Each structure stands twice: as structure tokens, then as C-alpha cells.
Amino acid sequence: MSRSITDVLVLGSGIAGLSAALGAARKGASVTIATKATRPEGASTWWAQGGIAVSRKEPEQFQRDIIAASSETSDPDAVEVLVQHADAAVRDVLIDTLDIGFDTGGNGAAFDYGREAAHSADRILHVDASTGKHIHIPFLNYLADHERVEIRDDTAALELLREGESVTGALLESDGTAGPWTAGTTIVATGGIGALYGQSTNPRGATGDGVAMAIRAGAAVDDLEYVQFHPTVCVESGDPFLVSEAVRGEGALLRNANGERFMPAYHEDAELAPRDVVARAVEQEHEETGQVVLDVSPLDFASTFPDLMSLCEDNGVDPSTGIPVVPAEHFLCGGIDVDTWGRTTLDRLFAVGECARTGVHGANRLASTSLLEGLVWGLRAGEAAANGSVSSPDSSTMVETGPGPSPEVLQSAVRRIRDVMDTHVSLRRTAGGLETAAATLQEVAADLDAAVTPPVSRAASEVRSACTVGLRIAEAARANDRSIGCHYRSDVPAEVPAATDADA
Ligand code: SIN
């Protein structure tokens, strides 16, 4: 690593990190993006299917939907910021700057706005059902050519650096050596926590690094118990793959092993009920009858969702007989506590995207709001961060990372973490199970700490992060004895959100 000082250091390269980099660079700051991803697929954004919601000049209705899906737990001020800036940010960055070709109605007609669960209107911009990669790749290319932005891939953040109450950069690792990277402001955009669970829609590198680093640095975190599971993930063969909610938006139905359509018995909005409700119903029907399939016969699946059709074919799944689905971990609604500009509780530290808790999602996130939140908060945080000044000298002493625990020790720790998260900190939780989970994760953490020599290797750091965040999720879930949104305690009756007020 040659130069190791920058105005703004962005950790992560999904839509939130890239938007933050863009926001800061537009304000004249020098920006370094450090990402452990080596290919675009390393960021969750690449995997996003459904799309990005916009308000279509009906902000109040959009706000109401977000708040209703969260069972009235979203922060209304944060929701207002998201919705008020949605259309302008999408137009500015995605359409005017990156020229993303969102699907249109054909013959030059306006956009083909899609519908997903718990939305009361068609308002989702998409490119087929693989919107993420169509945004992510042009965004990366645009910033790679930007004179004020440097992208360092295969570069992991191991620790945030602090001077008193201020964050002054991060300890970055690349090729087995680590060194401090000094920054006026640091923006954490490291994504989610899918790797803590056996099945997830995230890339396997989603080990919660940013949340763990922020916790270790003393930043406040909140709402960690709200881990969202996507109801329709196909795990038949190969890697699990998401079957977008957009497919249910187009009319697909959920059926159990007896061929019965079951969702109307669970919620008035049936297949388009809030995601937490559908996910628990799918899990229950799967347990009781042995299988749940997504019946795509009500729509022309192959022509409406050609990318999903290819995914099915690549994985040996024949959609005409129903796509077998289970719920799988999808999104962390809570995270590092931030204000409406992405500022954390620590000076010169910002957080954006899935690792941040803006308050928009509360206990359950409305579909197709995560790319939007990453875009809006990313731009805002980037702009605000560009005003930070570098006060620390450039200090680029590089040291080799410690050998750390053996691969066998790390693999065993990963197995224990996933096992306990899947069993006790999943869709249905109990007080006793959460207590067991917390005790086990404390043991895993102690075993790892005993085996780790600083500066820790990337592999050991990732497992430590997963353990730190898993433990904090289990503790947050233990402390919350309401069954609400994604946090469902089978020992407490659920508070189910009302049906949507659909206009179309
Ligand atoms: C999906 O396409 O179903 C996922 C959309 C989202 O998580 O917002």
C-alpha cells in the first residue's frame, strides 16, 4: 500500500459505499474505497433482485407503507428523509449519471413499475429481476474512472483507529500485511451478516465486520434483534438463490406439499403480506407438510423473469412443477446507530447501508427499500463526511498479520456460530433458546480471543466479527420480549401488521 491518507475512507463497495464515495467526491474530497470483495459478486448489491422503490409523487402513501410493514416501529423522521429524497436521488445518480436502463412498459412508455409485498402501489423500478447487478457494475465502473476516487479491492478493514473520541481511519489488511490508513472521516458500508446463518441470500463474505468494528470502537448499535428472513429462497441444489418477491407481485402463489394455497389463512394480503409474516408461514407449512413451492403458473414466468428462469435452469429446477422454497436470512434491519446524515455516535465515523440503523426499517423492512436507503444515505453521508478534515499525520508502517488460529479452529467456530444462530436466533425464538445462544457465543468468542494474536489475520477477524455480532443479536433478542416484525418470540403472541390499503 503506497499512499495511506485520504479525506474520506469508505469501507465496503455496495450501493451505499459507492454512493457515499460519489457524494464525497462531488464535494471535492479525495476518497479511498477499501473493499474485501475481489469481484462485484462480493457485495450484496450485486445479488439484489426486485428493484428500487420510488415515491412516484405519492410520498405519503409510500411512507405509510414503510411504517405499516414495520408494525409502526420505523422512525417517521428517517422514513420522511428516505421518501422525500427517493425520486431525486434515483433520477440524479441512477438515471442521469449512470444511465441505468430500468425496464419500461415497451414502445418508449414510462417505466414498468413493479409491485412487491406490503406495497399498496406499483412503484418499483427494476431491470428484469436482477436489478442489483445492473446498477452495481456501472456504478463501480463510473467510480473506477473518477479522478478523486481510488478503489482498493481485496483489502479488508480489521479495526477502526481512534484518537480519543474521534475515529481517525482504519487498520487495513491486504495480502497478509496490515497498516493504518488515516482519514478525515471514515464511512462504514460493509453490508450484512448472512454468513452467521446456514442459509442466506448474502454473499458468504457478509460476516458483519463493520458492525463488529463499530462495537469494538464504542459506537452505539440498535435494533440488532431484527434480522429479516426472505420467505422464498430456493435451496434445492447448488447455491441457494433468491426468488424475488416481484414474482409474487406478478401473481405467483405459495402452496404446501398438499397443493393447498395457505397464505390467505395467515394474512388478509395473502402472498403479499409483510415479509416477516410470509416467512414464518412458509416455515410452518414446510415443517407441517414437508414442502412449500412457489406456483408460477398464474404468470408467464419465463418471459416475465428471464434471469430467474435461467437461474432455475442452472440449478436443475423446473418452474413448471413449482419452485421449492424455504425462508433464509436476508437483511439486518438494525445496525450501527446513525442520524439522518449517517453520523454515528463517534466523531468522524459514519455508517451507511445494511450495517447502519437509520430507523427506516424498524422491526421489519419493506421490500425494495434497501438499495434506496443505501443510495439516499450514502449520498448524504458522503456529502457530510467531505467536510471532515485530516488532522493525523500519514503513518504507513506495515506489519504482517499474526498467524492466528488454525483453519480447523476457525471452521469449527463458524460451524458453532451458524448452528446456534440457526437453532435459536432465527425466525422463531424463545427466552431459553436465546440464553443458550448467548452462552455458546460467549464461549466461542473466548476460545477465539485466546487463539488470536494481533494484528489478527483476515480470516480470524471475520470469524471474530461474526461471533461479536451474533452475540449482540442474541442479547438484543433476549432483552426484547415483544413479538414484533422479524423478532418473533414463540412464547409471546405476535403483533401482526394490518393489511395494505391497495389502490391497484
Ligand atoms: C426481492 O427481490 O424479493 C428482494 C427485495 C428486497 O429484499 O428488498
Side-chain angles (χ1 to χ4, degrees):
M1 294 184 198
S2 46
R3 190 169 65 98
S4 58
I5 189 162
T6 187
D7 292 337
V8 176
L9 175 62
V10 178
L11 307 175
S13 57
I15 191 170
L18 300 183
S19 302
L22 179 65
R26 280 174 166 180
K27 287 278 173 191
S30 65
V31 181
T32 301
I33 300 173
T35 174
K36 68 181 187 180
T38 50
R39 295 183 303 152
E41 293 92 310
S44 293
T45 295
W46 192 89
W47 296 94
Q49 292 190 1
I52 185 160
V54 288
S55 77
R56 299 189 68 189
K57 301 200 174 68
E58 290 183 326
E60 288 82 16
Q61 195 183 357
F62 187 14
Q63 280 173 229
R64 273 200 305 278
D65 287 352
I66 294 173
I67 292 171
S70 78
S71 294
E72 314 291 322
T73 56
S74 296
D75 172 348
D77 294 338
V79 174
E80 191 174 341
V81 167
L82 182 82
V83 170
Q84 295 298 341
H85 292 87
D87 295 21
V90 167
R91 162 77 46 198
D92 164 19
V93 177
L94 303 185
I95 297 173
D96 293 344
T97 306
L98 301 178
D99 198 20
I100 309 297
F102 290 113
D103 289 350
T104 62
N107 299 326
F111 295 116
D112 171 35
Y113 294 99
R115 169 78 64 103
E116 288 180 24
H119 283 272
S120 62
D122 297 346
R123 60 164 76 95
I124 297 160
L125 289 173
H126 58 93
V127 186
D128 189 353
S130 53
T131 311
K133 67 179 84 150
H134 286 98
I135 292 175
H136 194 218
I137 291 173
F139 212 160
L140 277 173
N141 291 339
Y142 179 84
L143 289 177
D145 289 340
H146 199 294
E147 58 181 353
R148 279 191 283 279
V149 179
E150 180 191 19
I151 304 178
R152 307 190 70 94
D153 62 10
D154 201 5
T155 301
L158 303 180
E159 218 59 82
L160 295 171
L161 304 175
R162 280 189 61 166
E163 276 174 23
E165 290 305 302
S166 277
V167 170
T168 56
L171 183 69
L172 299 187
E173 179 273 341
S174 184
D175 264 340
T177 57
W181 203 277
T182 303
T185 43
T186 302
I187 304 181
V188 183
T190 49
I193 58 151
L196 277 65
Y197 290 86
Q199 306 283 10
S200 166
T201 60
N202 297 179
R204 283 276 102 170
T207 44
D209 307 339
V211 179
M213 284 188 291
I215 289 171
R216 287 197 292 271
V221 291
D222 208 355
D223 286 349
L224 287 180
E225 67 272 40
Y226 301 124
V227 179
Q228 183 172 70
F229 284 68
H230 197 289
T232 55
V233 177
C234 181
V235 292
E236 264 319 89
S237 61
D239 289 332
F241 66 93
L242 183 67
V243 186
S244 175
E245 234 165 59
V247 181
R248 276 176 282 134
E250 290 292 323
L253 304 172
L254 285 161
R255 298 191 186 279
N256 63 23
N258 306 324
E260 293 154 355
R261 182 179 174 215
F262 55 83
M263 273 315 301
Y266 287 85
H267 195 279
E268 240 178 286
D269 287 337
E271 279 79 4
L272 296 183
R275 196 173 273 179
D276 57 307
V277 176
V278 184
R280 284 195 298 277
V282 169
E283 185 181 65
Q284 188 169 330
E285 295 289 326
H286 197 277
E287 276 171 14
E288 286 174 6
T289 73
Q291 195 185 37
V292 171
V293 298
L294 193 60
D295 169 6
V296 295
S297 62
L299 59 143
D300 184 350
F301 182 68
S303 65
T304 316
F305 297 104
D307 288 354
L308 271 173
M309 184 69 200
S310 305
L311 258 179
C312 287
E313 281 166 359
D314 293 348
N315 285 277
V317 174
D318 176 6
S320 70
T321 56
I323 305 171
V325 289
V326 292
E329 192 282 340
H330 185 57
F331 189 88
L332 178 64
C333 297
I336 307 163
D337 218 0
V338 296
D339 68 10
T340 54
W341 289 92
R343 291 190 188 90
T344 71
T345 53
L346 294 181
D347 187 33
R348 291 165 57 183
L349 182 70
F350 291 69
V352 291
E354 189 174 347
C355 66
R357 183 266 184 203
T358 60
V360 164
H361 310 306
N364 181 49
R365 180 175 65 84
L366 181 68
S368 286
T369 53
S370 55
L371 294 177
L372 181 63
E373 185 196 42
L375 173 67
V376 169
W377 255 262
L379 284 176
R380 290 168 72 80
E383 280 174 29
N387 298 327
S389 61
V390 179
S391 59
S392 315
D394 181 1
S395 55
S396 50
T397 324
M398 307 300 294
V399 284
E400 284 196 13
T401 55
S406 67
E408 293 73 32
V409 169
L410 292 180
Q411 276 158 18
S412 150
V414 169
R415 269 197 302 275
R416 289 173 76 193
I417 294 167
R418 286 190 187 152
D419 182 50
V420 88
M421 296 299 288
D422 285 344
T423 310
H424 298 299
V425 200
S426 189
L427 269 173
R428 284 175 288 175
R429 306 159 175 187
T430 63
L434 292 168
E435 205 164 310
T436 306
T440 308
L441 291 164
Q442 264 156 358
E443 268 172 37
V444 179
D447 292 351
L448 279 173
D449 282 347
V452 158
T453 41
V456 62
S457 69
R458 186 188 305 190
S461 172
E462 288 179 330
V463 183
R464 241 172 106 222
S465 293
C467 193
T468 303
V469 179
L471 178 56
R472 290 296 282 265
I473 292 172
E475 285 173 347
R478 260 172 92 192
N480 184 350
D481 56 14
R482 276 176 89 185
S483 263
I484 190 153
C486 311
H487 173 62
Y488 177 77
R489 293 268 300 258
S490 28
D491 40 359
V492 182
E495 298 169 38
V496 178
T500 51
D501 182 14
D503 70 340

